[in-house]
Coordinates of all heavy atoms in Angstrom, one line a residue:
V1 N -105.3 40.9 15.1 CA -105.2 41.6 13.8 C -105.8 40.6 12.8 O -105.4 39.5 12.7 CB -103.7 41.9 13.4 CG1 -103.7 42.7 12.1 CG2 -103.0 42.5 14.5
Y2 N -106.7 41.1 12.0 CA -107.4 40.3 11.0 C -107.2 40.9 9.6 O -107.6 42.1 9.4 CB -108.9 40.1 11.3 CG -109.6 39.2 10.3 CD1 -109.4 37.9 10.3 CD2 -110.5 39.8 9.4 CE1 -110.1 37.1 9.4 CE2 -111.2 39.0 8.6 CZ -111.0 37.6 8.5 OH -111.7 36.9 7.7
A3 N -106.7 40.2 8.6 CA -106.6 40.6 7.2 C -107.4 39.7 6.4 O -107.1 38.5 6.2 CB -105.1 40.5 6.8
P4 N -108.6 40.2 5.9 CA -109.5 39.3 5.1 C -109.1 39.0 3.7 O -109.7 38.2 3.1 CB -110.8 40.2 5.2 CG -110.3 41.6 5.3 CD -109.1 41.6 6.1
A5 N -108.1 39.7 3.2 CA -107.7 39.5 1.8 C -106.2 39.4 1.7 O -105.5 40.3 1.2 CB -108.2 40.6 0.8
F6 N -105.6 38.3 2.3 CA -104.2 38.2 2.4 C -103.7 37.5 1.1 O -104.3 36.5 0.6 CB -103.8 37.3 3.6 CG -102.4 37.4 4.1 CD1 -102.1 38.4 5.0 CD2 -101.4 36.6 3.6 CE1 -100.8 38.5 5.5 CE2 -100.1 36.7 4.0 CZ -99.8 37.7 5.0
P7 N -102.5 38.0 0.5 CA -102.0 37.4 -0.7 C -101.7 35.9 -0.5 O -101.1 35.5 0.5 CB -100.7 38.2 -1.0 CG -100.9 39.5 -0.3 CD -101.7 39.2 0.9
T8 N -102.1 35.1 -1.5 CA -102.1 33.6 -1.3 C -100.7 33.0 -1.2 O -100.5 32.0 -0.6 CB -102.9 32.9 -2.4 OG1 -102.3 33.3 -3.7 CG2 -104.3 33.3 -2.3
R9 N -99.7 33.7 -1.8 CA -98.3 33.1 -1.8 C -97.4 33.9 -0.8 O -96.2 33.5 -0.8 CB -97.7 33.2 -3.2 CG -98.6 32.5 -4.3 CD -98.7 31.0 -4.0 NE -99.5 30.4 -5.0 CZ -99.8 29.1 -4.9 NH1 -99.4 28.3 -4.0 NH2 -100.7 28.6 -5.8
T10 N -97.9 34.8 -0.1 CA -97.0 35.6 0.8 C -96.7 34.8 2.1 O -97.7 34.3 2.7 CB -97.6 36.9 1.1 OG1 -97.8 37.6 -0.1 CG2 -96.8 37.7 2.1
A11 N -95.5 34.7 2.5 CA -95.1 33.9 3.7 C -94.7 34.7 4.9 O -94.2 34.2 5.9 CB -93.9 32.9 3.3
E12 N -94.9 36.0 4.8 CA -94.4 36.9 5.9 C -95.2 38.2 5.9 O -95.5 38.8 4.8 CB -92.9 37.2 5.8 CG -92.4 38.1 6.8 CD -90.9 38.4 6.6 OE1 -90.6 39.4 5.9 OE2 -90.0 37.7 7.1
I13 N -95.5 38.7 7.1 CA -96.0 40.0 7.3 C -94.8 40.9 7.6 O -94.1 40.6 8.5 CB -97.0 40.1 8.4 CG1 -98.3 39.3 8.1 CG2 -97.4 41.6 8.7 CD1 -99.3 39.2 9.2
E14 N -94.5 41.8 6.7 CA -93.3 42.6 6.9 C -93.4 43.6 8.1 O -92.4 43.7 8.8 CB -93.0 43.4 5.6 CG -91.7 44.1 5.6 CD -91.3 44.6 4.2 OE1 -91.7 45.8 3.9 OE2 -90.7 43.9 3.4
L15 N -94.5 44.1 8.3 CA -94.6 45.1 9.4 C -96.1 45.2 9.9 O -97.0 45.3 9.1 CB -94.1 46.5 8.9 CG -94.2 47.7 9.9 CD1 -93.3 47.4 11.1 CD2 -93.9 49.0 9.2
I16 N -96.2 45.2 11.3 CA -97.5 45.6 11.9 C -97.2 46.8 12.8 O -96.3 46.8 13.7 CB -98.0 44.4 12.8 CG1 -98.3 43.2 11.9 CG2 -99.3 44.8 13.5 CD1 -98.6 42.0 12.7
E17 N -98.0 47.9 12.6 CA -97.8 49.1 13.4 C -99.0 49.3 14.2 O -100.2 49.1 13.8 CB -97.6 50.3 12.5 CG -96.3 50.2 11.6 CD -96.2 51.4 10.7 OE1 -96.8 51.5 9.7 OE2 -95.4 52.3 11.1
G18 N -98.8 49.6 15.5 CA -99.9 49.8 16.4 C -99.5 50.6 17.6 O -98.4 51.1 17.7
E19 N -100.4 50.6 18.6 CA -100.1 51.2 19.9 C -100.9 50.6 21.0 O -102.0 50.1 20.7 CB -100.3 52.7 19.8 CG -101.7 53.1 19.6 CD -101.9 54.6 19.5 OE1 -100.9 55.3 19.1 OE2 -103.0 55.1 19.7
I20 N -100.4 50.7 22.2 CA -101.2 50.3 23.4 C -101.4 51.6 24.2 O -100.5 52.4 24.2 CB -100.6 49.2 24.2 CG1 -99.2 49.4 24.5 CG2 -100.8 47.9 23.4 CD1 -98.6 48.3 25.4
V21 N -102.5 51.7 24.9 CA -102.8 52.9 25.7 C -103.0 52.5 27.1 O -103.7 51.5 27.4 CB -104.0 53.6 25.2 CG1 -104.4 54.8 26.0 CG2 -103.9 54.0 23.7
A22 N -102.3 53.2 28.1 CA -102.4 52.9 29.5 C -102.7 54.2 30.2 O -102.3 55.3 29.8 CB -101.1 52.2 30.0
Y23 N -103.4 54.0 31.4 CA -103.7 55.2 32.2 C -103.0 55.0 33.6 O -102.7 53.8 34.0 CB -105.2 55.3 32.4 CG -105.9 56.0 31.2 CD1 -106.2 55.2 30.1 CD2 -106.1 57.3 31.2 CE1 -106.8 55.7 29.0 CE2 -106.7 57.9 30.0 CZ -107.0 57.1 29.0 OH -107.6 57.6 27.9
E24 N -102.7 56.1 34.2 CA -102.0 56.0 35.5 C -102.7 55.2 36.6 O -102.0 54.5 37.3 CB -101.7 57.5 36.0 CG -100.8 57.6 37.2 CD -100.6 59.0 37.6 OE1 -101.4 59.9 37.2 OE2 -99.5 59.3 38.2
Q25 N -104.0 55.3 36.6 CA -104.8 54.7 37.7 C -105.9 53.9 37.1 O -106.5 54.3 36.1 CB -105.3 55.7 38.7 CG -104.2 56.5 39.4 CD -104.8 57.5 40.4 OE1 -105.9 58.0 40.1 NE2 -104.1 57.8 41.4
S26 N -106.2 52.8 37.7 CA -107.4 52.0 37.3 C -108.1 51.5 38.6 O -107.6 50.8 39.4 CB -106.9 50.7 36.5 OG -107.9 50.0 36.0
T27 N -109.4 51.9 38.7 CA -110.1 51.7 39.9 C -111.3 50.8 39.6 O -112.2 51.2 38.8 CB -110.7 53.0 40.5 OG1 -109.6 53.9 40.7 CG2 -111.4 52.8 41.8
P28 N -111.4 49.6 40.2 CA -112.6 48.8 40.1 C -113.8 49.5 40.7 O -113.8 50.0 41.8 CB -112.3 47.5 40.8 CG -110.8 47.5 41.0 CD -110.4 48.9 41.1
V29 N -115.0 49.4 40.0 CA -116.2 50.1 40.5 C -117.3 49.1 40.4 O -117.5 48.5 39.3 CB -116.5 51.4 39.8 CG1 -117.8 52.0 40.3 CG2 -115.4 52.4 39.8
E30 N -118.1 48.9 41.5 CA -119.3 48.0 41.4 C -120.5 48.9 41.9 O -120.5 49.4 43.0 CB -119.1 46.8 42.4 CG -120.3 45.9 42.3 CD -120.1 44.6 43.1 OE1 -119.4 43.7 42.6 OE2 -120.6 44.5 44.2
L31 N -121.4 49.0 41.0 CA -122.6 49.8 41.2 C -123.8 48.8 41.4 O -124.0 47.9 40.6 CB -122.9 50.7 40.1 CG -121.8 51.8 39.8 CD1 -121.8 52.3 38.4 CD2 -121.9 52.9 40.8
E32 N -124.7 49.1 42.4 CA -125.8 48.3 42.7 C -127.1 49.1 42.8 O -127.1 50.1 43.5 CB -125.6 47.5 44.0 CG -126.6 46.4 44.2 CD -126.1 45.5 45.4 OE1 -125.2 44.7 45.2 OE2 -126.7 45.7 46.5
V33 N -128.1 48.8 42.0 CA -129.4 49.5 42.0 C -130.5 48.6 42.4 O -130.8 47.6 41.9 CB -129.7 50.0 40.5 CG1 -131.0 50.8 40.5 CG2 -128.6 50.8 40.0
P34 N -131.2 49.0 43.5 CA -132.4 48.2 43.9 C -133.5 48.6 43.0 O -133.8 49.7 42.7 CB -132.7 48.8 45.3 CG -132.0 50.1 45.4 CD -130.9 50.1 44.5
L35 N -134.2 47.5 42.5 CA -135.2 47.7 41.5 C -136.6 47.8 42.1 O -137.6 48.2 41.4 CB -135.2 46.6 40.4 CG -133.9 46.5 39.6 CD1 -133.9 45.3 38.7 CD2 -133.6 47.7 38.9
E36 N -136.7 47.4 43.4 CA -138.1 47.4 44.0 C -138.3 48.6 44.9 O -139.5 48.9 45.2 CB -138.2 46.1 44.8 CG -138.2 44.8 43.9 CD -138.5 43.6 44.8 OE1 -138.0 43.5 45.9 OE2 -139.3 42.7 44.3
E37 N -137.3 49.2 45.4 CA -137.4 50.3 46.3 C -136.7 51.6 45.7 O -135.9 51.5 44.8 CB -136.8 50.0 47.6 CG -137.4 48.8 48.3 CD -136.7 48.4 49.6 OE1 -135.7 49.1 49.9 OE2 -137.1 47.4 50.2
G38 N -137.0 52.7 46.3 CA -136.4 54.0 46.0 C -136.7 54.4 44.6 O -135.8 55.1 43.9
R39 N -137.9 54.2 44.1 CA -138.2 54.6 42.7 C -138.5 56.1 42.7 O -138.9 56.7 43.6 CB -139.4 53.9 42.2 CG -139.1 52.4 41.9 CD -140.4 51.7 41.4 NE -140.1 50.3 41.1 CZ -139.7 49.9 39.9 NH1 -139.6 50.8 38.9 NH2 -139.5 48.7 39.6
S40 N -138.1 56.7 41.5 CA -138.4 58.2 41.3 C -139.9 58.4 41.1 O -140.6 57.4 40.8 CB -137.6 58.6 40.1 OG -138.1 58.1 38.9
P41 N -140.4 59.6 41.1 CA -141.8 59.9 40.8 C -142.2 59.3 39.4 O -143.4 59.0 39.2 CB -141.9 61.4 40.8 CG -140.8 61.8 41.7 CD -139.7 60.8 41.5
A42 N -141.3 59.2 38.5 CA -141.6 58.7 37.2 C -141.7 57.2 37.2 O -142.1 56.6 36.1 CB -140.6 59.2 36.1
G43 N -141.3 56.5 38.3 CA -141.4 55.1 38.3 C -140.1 54.4 38.1 O -140.1 53.1 38.3
A44 N -139.1 55.0 37.7 CA -137.8 54.4 37.4 C -137.0 54.4 38.7 O -137.2 55.2 39.6 CB -137.0 55.1 36.3
P45 N -136.1 53.4 38.9 CA -135.2 53.4 40.0 C -134.3 54.7 40.1 O -134.0 55.2 39.1 CB -134.3 52.2 39.8 CG -135.0 51.3 38.8 CD -135.8 52.3 38.0
E46 N -134.1 55.1 41.3 CA -133.2 56.3 41.5 C -131.8 56.0 41.0 O -131.3 54.9 41.3 CB -133.2 56.7 42.9 CG -134.5 57.3 43.4 CD -134.7 58.7 43.0 OE1 -133.9 59.3 42.3 OE2 -135.8 59.3 43.3
P47 N -131.1 56.9 40.3 CA -129.7 56.7 40.0 C -128.8 56.5 41.2 O -129.2 57.0 42.3 CB -129.3 57.9 39.2 CG -130.7 58.5 38.8 CD -131.6 58.2 39.8

């Protein structure tokens, strides 16, 4: 949390309100694209 204009004599933050968000599942994914082979007709690598 960053407050760029904090009162100079204030010794306490009275309240910080926020939230955290979580999902039921989290899956690591690693994608690998060969850049020299499997190019599309336009010359770009295939997705």
Side-chain angles (χ1 to χ4, degrees):
V1 187
Y2 180 74
F6 200 88
T8 56
R9 304 296 176 185
T10 298
E12 179 185 87
I13 298 175
E14 189 167 89
L15 178 65
I16 299 171
E17 296 180 282
E19 66 184 22
I20 54 177
V21 179
Y23 285 81
E24 185 179 23
Q25 297 177 332
S26 184
T27 305
V29 179
E30 182 174 283
L31 299 157
E32 192 171 284
V33 181
L35 300 178
E36 294 185 321
E37 302 176 359
R39 290 179 176 269
S40 68
E46 292 283 359

